[in-house]
Amino acid sequence: MNTHDVLAYAIAQEAVRRVAAAEGSWAEILSPTSYITSSRTWPVPDFVLVDPVSRVTIGAEFKPPQQSKREYLTGLGQALAYSRDFHYGVLIMPTIADDGYPIGHHIASVLAESDLINAPVGLFTYDPAVLSPAAPGFDETRFFNHRAKPPSAPASLDKSFFAKWREMSPQEMLILLGASYDEMRAPTLGGGTVRDKAFAALWLRIQAGTVNHWAGGVRNYKDTAAQKIAVSKNYRNFLFHIGWTENGGALTREGLEAFHVGTLYGPDSQPFLDAIARSLLLDGKHLILFNAISELQDGLTAITDEATWLQKLEDDLENRGLLKRNPARHSAAVANSSRQFLKAEKQIWRNLRLIVPRGPRAYHPGRGLIFNWSRITSLLQGAS
C-alpha cells in the first residue's frame, strides 16, 4: 500500500534519522529532538519538520514517481511558496519524470539561477526505481541556505501528525456539517466563526435530547458554560483534521461530499461510516500510524501486557520522529488510565472496524493490535 503519504512519511522519518544523527549539514538548522507534524491550513505541505528548541520549521512537498514534468515544476512553486509560512521549503522528487527526462537536474539548475540561488528552499531527489517505505533513501541535491529571518506568516502547526478524535459520534458529525453548510449559505448575525456557530447549533440539539452518542444512547451533557467549553474543545478540530472543514468551519469539497452522503443515507449508514474511515486514514494520516505500529509489532520478539506494549510503541514513535518528545507523556501510558496513549484512537478504530477487537478490548496479548487490512484496502481502493 505505497500511497503518496506512506512514501512521504517514510522519507520524513529518514530525514529525522539524519537529523538525530547530525549527518551532513542537518545540525546547522535542526536539533536532534526535531519531529514530524502536520499543518492543515493553506498552503498545506505534505509534512512539516519542527525543531522544538529553535522553533525552526521546514514545509515539505513530496512528489511521487511517474508524474509529468509539469507536475514537478508545480512542486517547485509549492516549495517556494512554503517559505512564506515556514523557515524553509523543500521539494522531494524523483530524478526522472514519466518520460525519462532528468527533471531532478532541471529543477536543480532552476534553483541555481541568480535570482533563486539564495532562496530558502531545498531539493531532495530519489531513485524512483528503488524508493519504497523500506528504502526511503534520498540525495540532498540542494541543501538549505541559512535563513536569518523568520517566515513572514508563520503557519499554525498541529501537536501531532495524525487527526485526534474525542467522543464525537457520526450523528454529531453530520449535524455539525449541516449547521456549517447552513451558516455558509445564510450567515447569522453575531460574532464567531462558522465552526463556533455550528457547535452552538449542535449544543442546542444535545440539550433537547435529540442526539445520540456512538453506542446509540442519548447524548447527555450538563448545560453549563464549563461543560460546553470542554466538549467544544473535544469536538472542534476533528472535522478539520480529516479534511472536511477549513480551520474556521467552512466546508471543503470533501466535507460537502460527506454531508451529501450522510444526508442521503443517514449518519449511521455504512456509506457515511466508510467516508469517515477513508478520510481518517488518508487526510487524518491514521494509515501512516497503522504502518508504524505494524512495523514495530513485526519486529518485537515478544509482546506481553498492554502497558509494556504501549510504552514500546510510544518510544518507537518518538524515535521515528512521529511524536513530539515529551517525557511527561510517559506517565499516561498506563493501562486503563483516562489519559492512556491512543485510548481514544483505539475506540474509533473499533467503531469503524479498522481493527479486529478481542471482545470489548482492542489489544491482543502476544500480538498487539490486529488491523483489518482487507477493509482498509477496500476503503483505499474506493478513494482512487
Side-chain angles (χ1 to χ4, degrees):
M1 252 180 284
N2 293 343
T3 68
H4 171 281
D5 284 346
V6 168
L7 291 172
Y9 271 74
I11 286 180
Q13 291 172 69
E14 168 61 16
V16 166
R17 187 198 66 76
R18 297 183 188 185
V19 172
E23 293 185 6
S25 299
W26 284 104
E28 298 176 9
I29 61 169
L30 295 176
S31 72
T33 57
S34 297
Y35 64 96
I36 307 160
T37 190
S38 298
S39 172
R40 294 179 175 87
T41 55
W42 185 255
V44 194
D46 288 310
F47 63 84
V48 181
L49 297 179
V50 182
D51 185 340
V53 178
S54 66
R55 304 296 181 185
V56 167
T57 58
I58 300 174
E61 181 65 26
F62 171 75
K63 293 298 183 184
Q66 301 181 46
Q67 304 296 306
S68 68
K69 296 187 290 290
R70 179 184 295 273
E71 179 69 13
Y72 298 123
L73 283 176
T74 298
L76 174 59
Q78 290 172 285
L80 285 165
Y82 294 161
S83 64
R84 189 202 73 150
D85 304 85
F86 306 92
H87 290 80
Y88 302 96
V90 63
L91 172 60
I92 305 163
M93 57 174 290
T95 53
I96 60 173
D98 60 354
D99 60 358
Y101 181 77
I103 189 64
H105 176 75
H106 183 101
I107 298 295
S109 69
V110 172
L111 286 170
E113 291 288 311
S114 59
D115 291 336
L116 294 176
I117 196 167
N118 293 318
V121 174
L123 175 64
F124 300 163
T125 58
Y126 61 83
D127 183 349
V130 300
L131 180 71
S132 73
F138 59 84
D139 291 326
E140 295 158 9
T141 305
R142 171 189 160 112
F143 203 72
F144 307 98
N145 293 309
H146 178 70
R147 182 177 187 177
K149 295 182 179 180
S152 59
S156 176
L157 300 177
D158 293 331
K159 292 183 178 180
S160 67
F161 77 91
F162 59 90
K164 291 297 187 70
W165 171 85
R166 295 292 184 273
E167 296 290 329
M168 186 164 44
S169 70
Q171 185 188 18
E172 289 167 316
M173 295 180 205
L174 185 58
I175 291 171
L176 284 173
L177 289 174
S180 298
Y181 179 74
D182 291 341
E183 186 65 31
M184 290 168 64
R185 288 192 309 118
T188 57
L189 297 176
T193 63
V194 170
R195 184 178 67 178
D196 293 336
K197 294 178 180 179
F199 180 78
L202 170 61
W203 189 255
L204 290 176
R205 293 276 300 272
I206 290 173
Q207 297 310 314
T210 62
V211 178
N212 295 330
H213 53 65
W214 210 313
V218 175
R219 176 69 81 189
N220 183 19
Y221 290 128
K222 290 184 179 179
D223 192 12
T224 66
Q227 182 76 356
K228 184 177 180 181
I229 291 172
V231 176
S232 174
K233 288 180 178 179
N234 282 342
Y235 284 17
R236 64 185 178 185
N237 284 331
F238 182 68
L239 297 185
F240 172 51
H241 286 175
I242 64 172
W244 286 6
T245 70
E246 302 291 355
N247 191 30
L251 300 190
T252 62
R253 182 187 65 183
E254 293 79 9
L256 284 167
E257 291 173 355
F259 178 49
H260 172 73
V261 170
T263 301
L264 186 63
Y265 297 106
D268 298 316
S269 66
Q270 196 59 54
F272 191 62
L273 295 177
D274 286 351
I276 298 170
R278 190 176 297 112
S279 293
L280 184 74
L281 289 167
L282 296 176
D283 289 285
K285 303 291 193 293
H286 280 229
L287 180 61
I288 306 299
L289 186 56
F290 285 10
N291 284 339
I293 295 172
S294 294
E295 288 174 12
L296 169 70
Q297 292 179 165
D298 291 345
L300 292 175
T301 56
I303 305 176
T304 54
D305 60 285
E306 185 171 7
T308 301
W309 172 80
L310 280 170
Q311 186 70 64
K312 288 182 180 293
L313 174 59
E314 188 178 18
D315 289 344
D316 183 66
L317 292 175
E318 286 186 340
N319 290 334
R320 291 169 180 258
L322 293 173
L323 281 181
K324 181 179 180 180
R325 296 178 185 274
N326 179 5
R329 191 195 304 114
H330 289 294
S331 63
V334 178
N336 300 320
S337 166
S338 61
R339 294 179 61 242
Q340 182 192 68
F341 182 52
L342 295 183
K343 185 170 185 176
E345 285 74 18
K346 287 185 288 184
Q347 184 179 345
I348 194 172
W349 297 341
R350 280 174 52 92
N351 291 343
L352 294 172
R353 296 189 298 109
L354 297 175
I355 57 175
V356 179
R358 181 179 64 90
R361 302 191 64 84
Y363 178 79
H364 294 252
R367 299 184 66 181
L369 296 183
I370 299 176
F371 295 102
N372 188 351
W373 289 114
S374 62
R375 170 161 166 74
I376 293 168
T377 302
S378 176
L379 287 166
L380 297 181
Q381 289 173 341
S384 60

